[in-house]
Amino acid sequence: MAAVLAVAALAVWWRGHRVDAVPVARMSVPAPTAQPVAADEVGGAGDPAAELVRARRPGVVRRGVLPSRSFDLPRGRAVDVVAALQPRAEAGDNEAALYLFIKIEECRYQLYHGGGNDSRPPPSADDSLEAQLIARTPPECHGLTQEQYQNNVRWLEQAADAGVVMAQLSYAGNAEAVVGNSSQMLANPEKVIAYRRKAMQYLRQAAASGSLSALMSLSDAYHYGVLAPRDPIRAYAYYYAKDMASPSAYGRQYLDTYADQLEPAQLATAIQQGKGIYDACCKP
């Protein structure tokens, strides 16, 4: 697996996708080596278990009594879905805010990455903005405005700030929607730093609630060095905690691969940290 993979269309992985399956490695974010970030800004110092305890939201339901949820992509024309969901989101319905983000994000992805655009006429220099959007998006996306595209992340952040785990995972796994494309990221490194810091905090909150996907994403973050400085001890520890909560032969293969990068003393530290993370997030 490459250290940084291109972000995939949310329209694909959202359909029938459960909360526990969103890898951080799908992002395309400048590596910390290109734009240094202090360890304490992304939680790279101290005890990771203690970080999860501090990140846990008051009253959060721990794993074991938290039901598995499936978030399906809202169907229908984007303008109709937005008209139905936006008033609910503005009134504080955080799941509606998440669905609203998903629908508009599907269209944004089609706008810049859609593979079916060849069948539609390219916009000309004299076309209005609306005409250009129509030319570059499928019919179900027609009618969305530039403002709706530009302000869409606010709905994701609303849901993530409220503790909706899927929103927290989605924020951490979709840097392009939050920060922009690679050129925009390179032109605005401070925004990238703020994004990485916030994404890591969301992942810790999700992990503290018992999300196995968040544990895997945190492991990926420290393994690939995308959201945080590379730390093979922490990469092993977070995946060790995930495997304690949900053992599998595949998980053991991951751990064996990660262990090859560690000295015996480092491995012992990683196992100890992993047990602490498990106790903080997932122990019944």
Side-chain angles (χ1 to χ4, degrees), residues 9-12 15 73-83 99-100 102-111 114-117 119-120 130 133-145 148-149:
L10 284 183
V12 176
R15 286 191 175 94
L73 188 71
R75 307 294 181 177
R77 295 195 312 152
V79 289
D80 296 332
V81 173
V82 170
Y99 285 120
L100 185 56
I102 295 169
K103 191 62 178 180
I104 299 176
E105 170 59 14
E106 179 189 37
C107 291
R108 185 204 67 81
Y109 190 93
Q110 290 291 327
L111 179 62
N117 291 336
S119 62
R120 295 186 288 275
E130 182 180 6
L133 291 176
I134 289 174
R136 297 179 62 184
T137 56
E140 58 267 24
C141 295
H142 295 172
L144 291 181
T145 66
Q148 287 171 321
Y149 282 116

Side-chain angles (χ1 to χ4, degrees), residues 68-178:
S68 182
R69 289 293 310 277
S70 178
F71 292 88
D72 295 320
L73 188 71
R75 307 294 181 177
R77 295 195 312 152
V79 289
D80 296 332
V81 173
V82 170
L85 292 180
Q86 186 164 334
R88 291 168 50 190
E90 290 174 340
D93 185 334
N94 298 309
E95 288 195 1
L98 173 59
Y99 285 120
L100 185 56
F101 166 79
I102 295 169
K103 191 62 178 180
I104 299 176
E105 170 59 14
E106 179 189 37
C107 291
R108 185 204 67 81
Y109 190 93
Q110 290 291 327
L111 179 62
Y112 292 104
H113 305 287
N117 291 336
D118 292 341
S119 62
R120 295 186 288 275
S124 69
D126 296 329
D127 283 341
S128 66
L129 174 62
E130 182 180 6
Q132 293 186 47
L133 291 176
I134 289 174
R136 297 179 62 184
T137 56
E140 58 267 24
C141 295
H142 295 172
L144 291 181
T145 66
Q146 182 183 25
E147 181 180 8
Q148 287 171 321
Y149 282 116
Q150 291 176 336
N151 295 334
N152 191 34
V153 173
R154 65 172 283 201
W155 305 119
L156 178 63
E157 291 180 328
Q158 174 181 319
D161 287 341
V164 178
V165 170
M166 181 56 91
Q168 294 171 332
L169 297 173
S170 298
Y171 184 97
N174 196 351
E176 183 183 277
V178 180

Side-chain angles (χ1 to χ4, degrees), residues 14-252:
W14 273 95
R15 286 191 175 94
H17 214 80
R18 295 200 175 272
V19 168
D20 290 288
V22 184
V24 163
R26 303 176 79 144
M27 296 175 303
S28 179
V29 187
T33 52
Q35 181 62 47
V37 181
D40 57 356
E41 290 184 319
V42 291
D47 178 17
E51 290 171 2
L52 294 191
V53 172
R54 289 194 299 269
R56 183 177 298 121
R57 296 171 57 83
V60 70
V61 179
R62 290 279 298 276
R63 188 175 180 84
V65 294
L66 179 67
S68 182
R69 289 293 310 277
S70 178
F71 292 88
D72 295 320
L73 188 71
R75 307 294 181 177
R77 295 195 312 152
V79 289
D80 296 332
V81 173
V82 170
L85 292 180
Q86 186 164 334
R88 291 168 50 190
E90 290 174 340
D93 185 334
N94 298 309
E95 288 195 1
L98 173 59
Y99 285 120
L100 185 56
F101 166 79
I102 295 169
K103 191 62 178 180
I104 299 176
E105 170 59 14
E106 179 189 37
C107 291
R108 185 204 67 81
Y109 190 93
Q110 290 291 327
L111 179 62
Y112 292 104
H113 305 287
N117 291 336
D118 292 341
S119 62
R120 295 186 288 275
S124 69
D126 296 329
D127 283 341
S128 66
L129 174 62
E130 182 180 6
Q132 293 186 47
L133 291 176
I134 289 174
R136 297 179 62 184
T137 56
E140 58 267 24
C141 295
H142 295 172
L144 291 181
T145 66
Q146 182 183 25
E147 181 180 8
Q148 287 171 321
Y149 282 116
Q150 291 176 336
N151 295 334
N152 191 34
V153 173
R154 65 172 283 201
W155 305 119
L156 178 63
E157 291 180 328
Q158 174 181 319
D161 287 341
V164 178
V165 170
M166 181 56 91
Q168 294 171 332
L169 297 173
S170 298
Y171 184 97
N174 196 351
E176 183 183 277
V178 180
V179 186
N181 60 28
S182 298
S183 297
Q184 291 169 313
M185 292 180 191
L186 292 172
N188 198 342
E190 291 183 358
K191 189 173 183 180
V192 172
I193 292 173
Y195 164 77
R196 291 212 305 265
R197 183 186 300 114
K198 195 167 190 176
M200 289 295 288
Q201 181 62 16
Y202 282 150
L203 288 179
R204 289 194 292 270
Q205 288 180 1
S209 73
S211 168
L212 301 188
S213 181
L215 292 176
M216 290 188 290
S217 293
L218 285 163
S219 176
D220 284 346
Y222 288 111
H223 177 71
Y224 295 114
V226 175
L227 281 180
R230 194 171 184 277
D231 187 334
I233 293 177
R234 283 191 171 224
Y236 186 98
Y238 277 108
Y239 208 96
Y240 186 90
K242 179 269 169 190
D243 201 61
M244 285 187 70
S246 180
S248 68
Y250 184 73
R252 290 308 310 174

